[in-house]
């Protein structure tokens, strides 16, 4: 933090003192390389060693370093600060406020990735140091929703997702779909739940954090999805990777390569592994196709566009979640019915003829430890993500009524009473 | 409503509900965690350890002691007494682990009820140190020598609250929790038997379901990759005590259905751990191994699920491990000694 603060201030000073541009650029490069080197050392070194060992047959021992909590998040925030200092877009902040900007506890661990320009003025504002009951009420309201999303919804889906990805050796068609959809819902409710809690906790201190999710699974194109999912990451990648690479200003082909590069980087940012990189590559490719499709002037029915987008996202999450390629292949082959189809035994009498085509009858979700509840809850998951407003929309229309107090209190107490084990947030890993 | 009132109402309603649930759970204590029964309410959930402790107090002396997990809970003391004579008590407990064996033996020594023989039913999962000591073990001061408190013993729990409500209902409706153990600690009735007799039991479904649960819980494939030194230490302490008091150990590794065995073998980590487990146990004492693919373990009707066997198979195990009369070619269990496990695994390699 001190290192970045000094570099950032120096970049500012250089501007005022009219130093040579070359040294300013070197200073910025030095700052960025140092940050990335630190991130690379802690997060990617073992991945690098593993691949060297695999390629060369060597046996270099892995470092097995403990990953500093939130390193990916605070590295990005500080790089943005350095770049903006270089671009002369920062003001002279004091070190205390700068430290608070980097380490502000509600969002430190899993975002939203905040920008100095939206945080520093809030820290400096005297009015924000006075108790504000409106913000406290709103904070408690949104915090309760977030806690419920995480503890009650996400952790319920987590059981089936974990069983399907990590434990089961084979998955039938419905199990594979239940596994992938469970993870798709788990990730959304877990991450957006954390964000809601961060926004709520920050509001207690009169700090407004940026919106990070806007009903992403309602998206009808992949571009639309990235405008709704982890919005602050998309903003960072756009401002500090895609646009500096040239964005869409250097012709169609360069636009496509810039998109691919940005999303591969986004994939790697999430984790050190080929599956993450592949997930980034898939999204990059989808964006390229989406862009070309729009350029050609093609249009789809909204429902079909949603269906394609959602299914693409769902399939791509399989690579994101899988710890090994084999796990991804297992789930995907199940999803296309390669490992068998099992229908509920109650249907056997009516649909017995299907057994001639290899369809079995029995318990549908045996290998993921689910029962009829898992399929019902997946259906409820769809209703929540598609029919209901999202938590930020509810926050916007928040009013001081008995209904909101009962609703918030109900969600809060249910969540607290369901806290029975340690369950980490998924994005803590990144 | 103004902001302040909204906040006050939120805090008041939330804390009131939490306190109410906590107090009800504490007073009713449905899982018998506190040993403090304010209204002398009979518990809806009777833990096996507690039941067996009570039953063992009523027995004057124990000649043969059965230890193990739920998979040994249906070893019939009467059948064992036929072979070994004397009184047999089944002290097998749900999710029994080496600390249970040691805790129970220490307790019986203190009570001066030292057995002459111990029939020890081993399970593959018992040396997985990712499994924490059972809460029901930790909440029995007569067994718990670990000086560890129960984990997760919060009374602010929704599940516990539902049990409390059920407990209150049972008291009000004058319903009693029925014990399913006889005076020798034998589980004489399993709910599953009723369904089996009514032909409403889907064996294969249960086998698959239970196998999945075991893979997830008892030896999650991502975690059971080495044997627990701590639990081996408990096992050695247990053996020391048996030597000191001249107690004979007759042990066996519980069978699993071939389907479940196959699932274990499909996982390289678990398959390797199983070989290590069998070797480790054989280093300390001989045992009969029923955990391998064979005809007996292929028959669905021999099992309630992937790992729990029915009474006919239990009787067969007793017959094999206690009688010399079973011809070699008819035996299911393989006697594992230090020599045999190392030679056998070498052959496999």
């Amino acid at each position: 933090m001190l290192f970045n603060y000094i570099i950032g201030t120096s970049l500012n000073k250089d501007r005022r003192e009219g130093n040579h541009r070359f040294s300013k650029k070197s200073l910025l490069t030095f700052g960025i390389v140092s940050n990335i080197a630190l991130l690379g050392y802690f997060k990617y070194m073992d991945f690098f060693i593993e691949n060297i060992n695999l390629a060369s047959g060597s046996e270099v021992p892995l470092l097995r370093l403990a990953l500093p909590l939130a390193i990916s998040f605070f590295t990005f925030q500080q790089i943005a600060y350095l770049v903006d200092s270089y671009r002369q877009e920062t003001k002279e902040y004091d070190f205390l406020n700068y430290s608070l900007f980097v380490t502000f506890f509600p969002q430190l661990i899993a975002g939203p990735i905040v920008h100095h320009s939206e945080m520093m003025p809030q820290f400096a504002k005297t009015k924000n140091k006075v108790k504000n009951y409106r913000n406290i009420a709103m904070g408690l309201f949104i915090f309760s929703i977030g806690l419920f999303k995480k503890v009650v919804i996400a952790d319920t889906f987590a059981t089936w997702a974990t069983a399907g990805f990590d434990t089961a050796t084979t998955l039938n068609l419905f199990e594979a779909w239940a596994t992938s959809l469970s993870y798709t819902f788990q990730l959304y409710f877990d991450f957006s739940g954390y964000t809601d809690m961060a926004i709520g906790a920050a509001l207690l201190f009169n700090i407004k954090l940026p919106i990070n999710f806007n009903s992403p699974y309602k998206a009808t194109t992949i571009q639309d999805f990235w405008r709704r999912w982890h919005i602050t990451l998309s903003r960072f990648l756009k401002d500090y990777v895609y646009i500096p690479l040239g964005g869409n200003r250097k012709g169609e082909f360069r636009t496509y390569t810039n998109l691919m590069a940005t999303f591969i980087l986004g994939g790697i940012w999430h984790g050190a592994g080929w599956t993450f990189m592949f997930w980034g590559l898939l999204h990059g490719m989808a964006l390229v196709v989406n862009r070309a499709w729009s350029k050609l002037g093609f249009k789809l029915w909204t429902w079909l566009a949603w269906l394609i987008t959602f299914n693409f996202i769902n399939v791509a999450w399989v690579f994101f979640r899988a710890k090994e390629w084999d796990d991804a292949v297992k789930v995907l082959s199940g999803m296309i019915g390669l490992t068998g189809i099992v229908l509920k035994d109650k249907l056997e009498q009516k649909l017995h003829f299907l057994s001639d085509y290899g369809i079995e009858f029995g318990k549908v979700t045996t290998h993921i430890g689910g029962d009829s509840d898992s399929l019902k809850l997946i259906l409820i998951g769809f209703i929540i993500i598609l029919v209901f407003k999202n938590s930020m929309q509810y926050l916007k229309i928040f009013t001081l009524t008995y209904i909101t107090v009962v609703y918030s209190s109900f969600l809060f107490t249910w969540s607290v009473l369901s806290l029975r084990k340690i369950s980490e947030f998924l994005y803590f890993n990144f | 409503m103004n902001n302040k009132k909204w906040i006050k109402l939120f805090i008041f309603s939330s804390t009131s509900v939490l306190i109410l649930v906590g107090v009800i759970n504490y007073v009713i204590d449905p899982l018998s965690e506190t040993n403090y029964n304010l209204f002398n309410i009979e518990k809806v959930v009777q833990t096996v350890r507690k039941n067996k402790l009570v039953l063992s107090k009523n027995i004057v002396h124990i000649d043969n002691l059965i230890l193990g997990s739920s998979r040994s809970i249906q070893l019939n003391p009467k059948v064992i007494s036929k072979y070994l004579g004397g009184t047999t008590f089944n002290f097998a407990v749900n999710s029994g682990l080496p600390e249970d064996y040691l805790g129970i033996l220490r307790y019986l020594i203190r009570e001066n009820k030292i057995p002459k023989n111990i029939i020890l039913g081993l399970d593959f999962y018992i040396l997985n140190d990712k499994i924490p000591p059972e809460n029901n073990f930790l909440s029995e001061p007569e067994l718990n020598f670990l000086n560890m408190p129960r984990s997760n013993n919060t009374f602010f729990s929704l599940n516990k609250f539902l049990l409390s409500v059920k407990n209150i209902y049972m008291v009000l409706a004058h319903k009693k929790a029925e014990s399913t153990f006889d005076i020798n600690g034998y589980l004489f009735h399993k709910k599953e038997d009723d369904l089996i007799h009514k032909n409403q039991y889907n064996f294969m479904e249960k086998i698959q379901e239970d196998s999945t649960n075991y893979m997830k819980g008892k030896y999650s494939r991502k975690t059971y990759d080495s044997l627990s030194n701590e639990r081996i230490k408990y096992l050695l302490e247990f053996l020391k005590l048996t030597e000191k008091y001249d107690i004979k150990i007759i042990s066996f590794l519980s069978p699993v259905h071939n389907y479940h065995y196959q699932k274990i073998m499909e996982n390289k980590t678990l398959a390797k751990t199983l070989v290590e487990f069998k070797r480790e146990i054989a280093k300390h004492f001989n045992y009969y191994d029923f955990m391998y693919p064979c005809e007996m373990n292929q028959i669905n009707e021999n099992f309630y699920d992937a790992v729990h066997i029915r009474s006919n198979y239990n009787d067969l195990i007793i017959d094999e491990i206690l009688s010399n009369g079973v011809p070699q070619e008819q035996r299911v269990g393989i006697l594992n000694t230090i020599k045999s496990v190392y030679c056998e695994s070498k052959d496999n390699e």
Side-chain angles (χ1 to χ4, degrees):
Chain A
M1 239 165 21
L2 187 63
F3 168 82
N4 282 301
Y5 180 72
I6 292 169
I7 300 269
T9 329
S10 307
L11 286 168
N12 258 335
K13 267 185 194 161
D14 269 3
R15 176 188 68 196
R16 289 194 303 277
E17 288 162 14
N19 278 7
H20 199 272
R21 188 177 166 80
F22 176 75
S23 64
K24 221 177 118 181
K25 203 166 191 173
S26 312
L27 201 58
L28 173 70
T29 312
F30 175 61
I32 294 176
V33 168
S34 307
N35 276 291
I36 290 176
L38 209 60
L39 179 67
Y41 176 68
F42 280 107
K43 193 165 174 177
Y44 303 103
M45 197 46 114
D46 276 353
F47 176 60
F48 180 71
I49 295 172
E50 265 175 15
N51 284 288
I52 292 286
N53 283 346
L54 197 70
S56 66
S58 57
E59 285 185 6
V60 181
L62 300 180
L63 301 179
R64 299 193 190 283
L65 298 167
L67 190 68
L69 202 62
I71 190 169
S72 307
F73 287 90
F74 64 68
T75 302
F76 267 28
Q77 284 181 199
Q78 297 196 99
I79 287 175
Y81 170 72
L82 293 182
V83 173
D84 287 350
S85 297
Y86 171 79
R87 289 175 182 166
Q88 306 176 7
E89 289 168 5
T90 54
K91 290 176 188 162
E92 228 180 322
Y93 306 120
D94 70 59
F95 180 63
L96 198 65
N97 278 350
Y98 177 78
S99 309
L100 187 56
F101 152 67
V102 179
T103 61
F104 187 51
F105 82 91
Q107 50 74 232
L108 170 69
I109 297 163
I113 301 170
V114 290
H115 195 263
H116 58 89
S117 65
E118 65 200 355
M119 298 301 284
M120 302 291 222
Q122 293 193 71
F123 294 141
K125 220 175 185 177
T126 320
K127 204 181 148 194
N128 283 349
K129 289 169 186 158
V130 181
K131 218 185 290 170
N132 182 326
Y133 289 110
R134 173 79 186 163
N135 282 344
I136 295 174
M138 285 167 69
L140 291 172
F141 174 75
I142 196 76
F143 186 91
S144 304
I145 296 177
L147 189 64
F148 185 82
K149 274 164 132 181
K150 162 65 187 160
V151 177
V152 180
I153 307 180
D155 287 356
T156 303
F157 283 119
T159 318
W160 306 313
T162 307
F165 275 102
D166 298 342
T167 313
T169 45
T170 178
L171 295 166
N172 67 46
L173 182 85
F174 289 110
E175 286 168 339
W177 277 96
T179 299
S180 70
L181 288 170
S182 292
Y183 183 66
T184 296
F185 291 141
Q186 182 202 352
L187 187 60
Y188 170 63
F189 287 112
D190 186 287
F191 192 18
S192 71
Y194 176 86
T195 305
D196 290 343
M197 288 162 72
I199 289 171
L203 270 173
L204 301 180
F205 301 94
N206 296 328
I207 300 297
K208 286 184 177 133
L209 294 179
I211 178 174
N212 214 18
F213 290 91
N214 183 18
S215 305
Y217 294 148
K218 284 179 185 166
T220 50
T221 66
I222 197 69
Q223 197 180 20
D224 187 21
F225 172 75
W226 279 105
R227 285 192 191 119
R228 294 161 174 268
W229 176 274
H230 205 172
I231 296 167
T232 54
L233 175 69
S234 310
R235 180 179 70 176
F236 178 90
L237 291 174
K238 188 181 121 204
D239 292 347
Y240 298 98
V241 181
Y242 178 67
I243 291 175
L245 283 174
N248 59 3
R249 302 183 308 274
K250 297 190 174 173
E252 261 324 89
F253 182 72
R254 270 298 294 275
T255 306
Y256 295 152
T257 53
N258 290 343
L259 274 173
M260 294 292 287
T262 306
F263 274 85
I264 289 172
L265 190 76
I268 299 169
W269 176 84
H270 280 93
W274 290 107
T275 48
F276 284 111
M277 202 182 287
F278 188 68
W279 170 81
L281 179 80
L282 281 178
H283 273 273
M285 278 164 40
L287 277 157
V288 167
V289 171
N290 182 222
R291 193 180 165 84
W293 183 270
S294 311
K295 282 257 165 201
L296 293 168
F298 294 140
K299 281 206 167 168
L300 284 175
W301 294 304
T302 311
W303 67 268
L304 185 60
W306 173 82
L307 194 70
I308 293 169
T309 307
F310 181 81
N311 278 295
F312 168 77
I313 293 161
N314 185 42
V315 168
W317 284 141
V318 171
F319 292 98
F320 188 85
R321 169 61 175 80
K323 287 181 181 156
E324 292 149 22
W325 286 106
D326 288 351
D327 292 334
V329 171
K330 172 186 73 187
V331 177
L332 290 172
S333 52
M335 284 168 78
I336 52 173
L338 291 181
T339 39
I341 300 171
V342 178
L343 295 177
K344 238 181 163 8
D345 41 12
K346 283 179 187 167
L347 300 171
E348 191 168 7
Q349 278 191 330
K350 285 181 188 167
L351 303 173
H352 184 68
F353 67 95
L354 288 174
S355 50
D356 296 342
Y357 302 96
I359 291 172
E360 292 171 35
F361 294 88
K363 202 168 175 188
V364 178
T365 52
T366 301
H367 294 105
I368 58 168
D371 46 29
S372 52
D373 282 354
S374 28
L375 300 177
K376 276 180 211 156
L377 280 168
I378 286 170
L379 190 68
I380 293 171
F382 270 115
I383 294 169
I384 296 173
I385 57 152
L386 296 176
V387 178
F388 285 86
K389 290 190 176 97
N390 63 53
S391 45
M392 296 315 292
Q393 288 167 323
Y394 281 117
L395 186 63
K396 266 187 193 163
I397 55 167
F398 171 72
T399 47
L400 301 161
T401 59
Y402 286 106
I403 293 174
T404 54
V405 80
V406 168
Y407 170 72
S408 315
S409 182
F410 174 73
L411 295 184
F412 181 77
T413 45
W414 186 350
S415 310
V416 171
L417 291 172
S418 305
L419 283 169
R420 54 188 180 277
K421 58 176 184 185
I422 298 164
S423 158
E424 284 184 359
F425 289 96
L426 292 178
Y427 259 69
F428 279 17
N429 299 324
F430 310 133
Chain B
M1 194 189 305
N2 64 29
N3 292 307
K4 237 177 173 175
K5 191 177 173 190
W6 192 97
I7 295 164
K8 277 183 186 167
L9 271 175
F10 174 86
I11 294 170
F12 175 76
S13 53
S14 302
T15 46
S16 306
V17 172
L18 291 176
I19 290 169
L20 186 72
V21 168
V23 167
I24 289 175
N25 284 346
Y26 186 77
V27 171
I28 304 297
D29 187 21
L31 297 174
S32 310
E33 290 162 296
T34 60
N35 292 317
Y36 166 74
N37 198 341
L38 188 64
F39 299 114
N40 202 21
I41 294 172
E42 191 176 359
K43 304 298 177 206
V44 64
V45 181
Q46 300 235 335
T47 68
V48 175
R49 285 167 182 80
K50 198 174 280 298
N51 268 353
K52 294 214 168 177
L53 273 169
V54 173
L55 289 170
S56 71
K57 285 183 201 298
N58 298 332
I59 284 201
V60 184
H61 71 272
I62 296 170
D63 296 301
N64 315 305
L65 175 71
I66 302 166
L67 290 177
S69 69
S70 58
R71 295 157 72 180
S72 304
I73 224 160
Q74 278 205 302
L75 285 176
N76 194 338
K78 281 179 190 159
V79 180
I80 287 173
S81 290
K82 263 191 213 167
Y83 288 102
L84 299 175
T87 320
T88 305
F89 186 78
N90 188 323
F91 219 131
V93 291
N94 283 28
S95 302
L97 290 161
E99 53 265 36
D100 281 295
Y101 315 155
L102 184 56
I104 292 168
L105 188 56
R106 281 181 173 182
Y107 157 75
L108 291 175
I109 291 169
R110 280 199 307 273
E111 294 279 304
N112 206 17
K113 290 176 183 170
I114 305 163
K116 291 177 192 140
N117 302 297
I118 290 180
I119 292 91
L120 178 62
L122 297 164
D123 306 291
F124 172 39
Y125 70 81
I126 60 166
L127 296 184
N128 184 357
D129 59 4
K130 310 298 186 308
I131 303 175
E134 270 290 303
N135 267 336
N136 293 331
F137 167 79
L138 297 176
S139 58
E140 294 304 337
E142 287 173 297
L143 303 181
N144 179 5
F145 59 92
L146 298 174
N147 296 322
M148 269 170 75
R150 280 180 66 99
S151 61
N152 190 22
N153 56 350
T154 175
F155 286 98
F156 299 107
S157 156
L158 194 60
N159 289 344
K160 223 171 268 182
F161 178 67
L162 295 175
L163 284 175
S164 295
V165 171
K166 191 176 171 188
N167 215 142
I168 293 168
Y169 163 75
M170 287 187 72
V171 171
L172 294 176
H174 302 290
K175 288 191 175 178
K176 288 207 163 211
E178 284 174 19
S179 172
T180 42
F181 298 109
D182 71 5
I183 51 165
N184 297 106
Y186 171 57
L187 180 72
F188 58 86
H189 177 254
K190 268 180 86 99
K191 277 183 286 180
E192 288 83 346
D193 286 323
D194 296 336
L195 295 172
I196 292 168
H197 289 137
K198 286 181 201 162
N199 277 334
Q200 290 173 352
Y201 199 77
N202 187 334
F203 285 98
M204 201 55 215
E205 193 177 277
K206 290 285 173 193
I207 288 163
Q208 288 179 345
E209 193 178 295
D210 188 54
S211 180
T212 305
N213 290 337
Y214 254 71
M215 296 298 277
K216 270 199 295 184
K218 291 273 194 268
Y219 31 74
S220 162
R221 73 167 173 158
K222 301 285 180 196
T223 55
Y224 194 13
D225 50 6
S226 61
L227 305 180
S228 158
N229 289 329
E230 196 64 20
R231 292 214 158 102
I232 292 172
K233 201 180 88 189
Y234 299 150
L235 207 56
L236 294 177
E237 279 182 45
F238 168 79
L239 290 175
K240 251 188 198 169
L241 278 181
T242 58
E243 274 169 27
K244 188 178 169 187
Y245 290 96
D246 199 20
I247 303 167
K248 189 183 171 192
I249 292 191
I250 306 149
S251 182
F252 68 95
L253 180 57
S254 314
V256 297
H257 191 277
N258 284 353
Y259 171 86
H260 185 54
Y261 187 84
Q262 183 62 31
K263 291 283 165 202
I264 294 172
M265 287 297 125
E266 280 170 13
N267 184 295
K268 280 181 193 164
T269 311
L270 279 181
K272 190 174 142 273
T273 309
L274 180 60
V275 172
E276 282 171 16
F277 175 88
K278 289 188 179 183
R279 284 179 176 181
E280 181 62 40
I281 299 293
K283 269 191 219 167
H284 309 297
F285 51 85
N286 298 343
Y287 62 94
Y288 291 90
D289 183 1
F290 290 87
M291 188 181 173
Y292 73 100
C294 62
E295 213 174 300
M296 197 66 185
N297 292 342
Q298 185 61 42
I299 301 167
N300 296 349
E301 287 73 17
N302 283 341
F303 291 80
Y304 288 108
D305 50 42
V307 296
H308 294 96
I309 52 171
R310 294 181 65 201
S311 53
N312 59 327
Y313 200 172
N314 272 306
D315 291 351
L316 183 140
I317 288 178
I318 296 173
D319 208 27
E320 280 203 16
I321 64 174
L322 298 181
S323 153
N324 294 323
V326 182
Q328 192 58 41
E329 62 278 9
Q330 285 176 21
R331 284 180 172 267
V332 178
I334 301 165
L335 183 63
N336 274 354
T337 62
I338 184 138
K339 204 175 159 190
S340 70
V341 285
Y342 275 91
C343 292
E344 187 198 311
S345 39
K346 254 188 186 174
D347 291 348
N348 289 341
E349 281 159 18

